[in-house]
Amino acid sequence: MANQPDFMENADNVYRTREYIVRQIIGVNYDAEMDNTVFSQDTFFARTPAWDKQYESIFAKRFNIDGRRMRSTMYSRQYVN
């Protein structure tokens, strides 16, 4: 996608909350001894009018425009202003 916004880069899931657009990068850790885990690397982008406009353009056909978080057993968070 040309001029792809930062919140879409390498994203497996993108959703938004009241204050943030959240990018999730999902992975699976296979461990025969300790059980498998699903992990999420989450980046929270502070919402701006420009990013909201891009988000709404990308996800215009979603039934729930805000989307929702994919569940994981572990996660890390990073905030971008």
Side-chain angles (χ1 to χ4, degrees), residues 12-27:
D12 293 308
N13 183 41
V14 177
Y15 66 96
R16 68 181 175 182
T17 67
R18 195 174 79 218
E19 297 180 26
Y20 297 98
I21 295 174
V22 185
R23 172 182 64 203
Q24 282 188 285
I25 300 173
I26 304 293

Side-chain angles (χ1 to χ4, degrees), residues 2-14:
N3 297 325
Q4 176 174 293
D6 293 346
F7 61 79
M8 291 299 294
E9 187 174 323
N10 298 319
D12 293 308
N13 183 41
V14 177

Side-chain angles (χ1 to χ4, degrees), residues 8 12-13 16 22 29 35-36 39 44 48 50 55 58 60 77-79:
M8 291 299 294
D12 293 308
N13 183 41
R16 68 181 175 182
V22 185
N29 183 33
D35 291 332
N36 300 330
F39 61 90
F44 288 70
T48 66
Y55 179 97
I58 293 166
R77 286 186 176 193
Q78 176 183 4
Y79 290 86

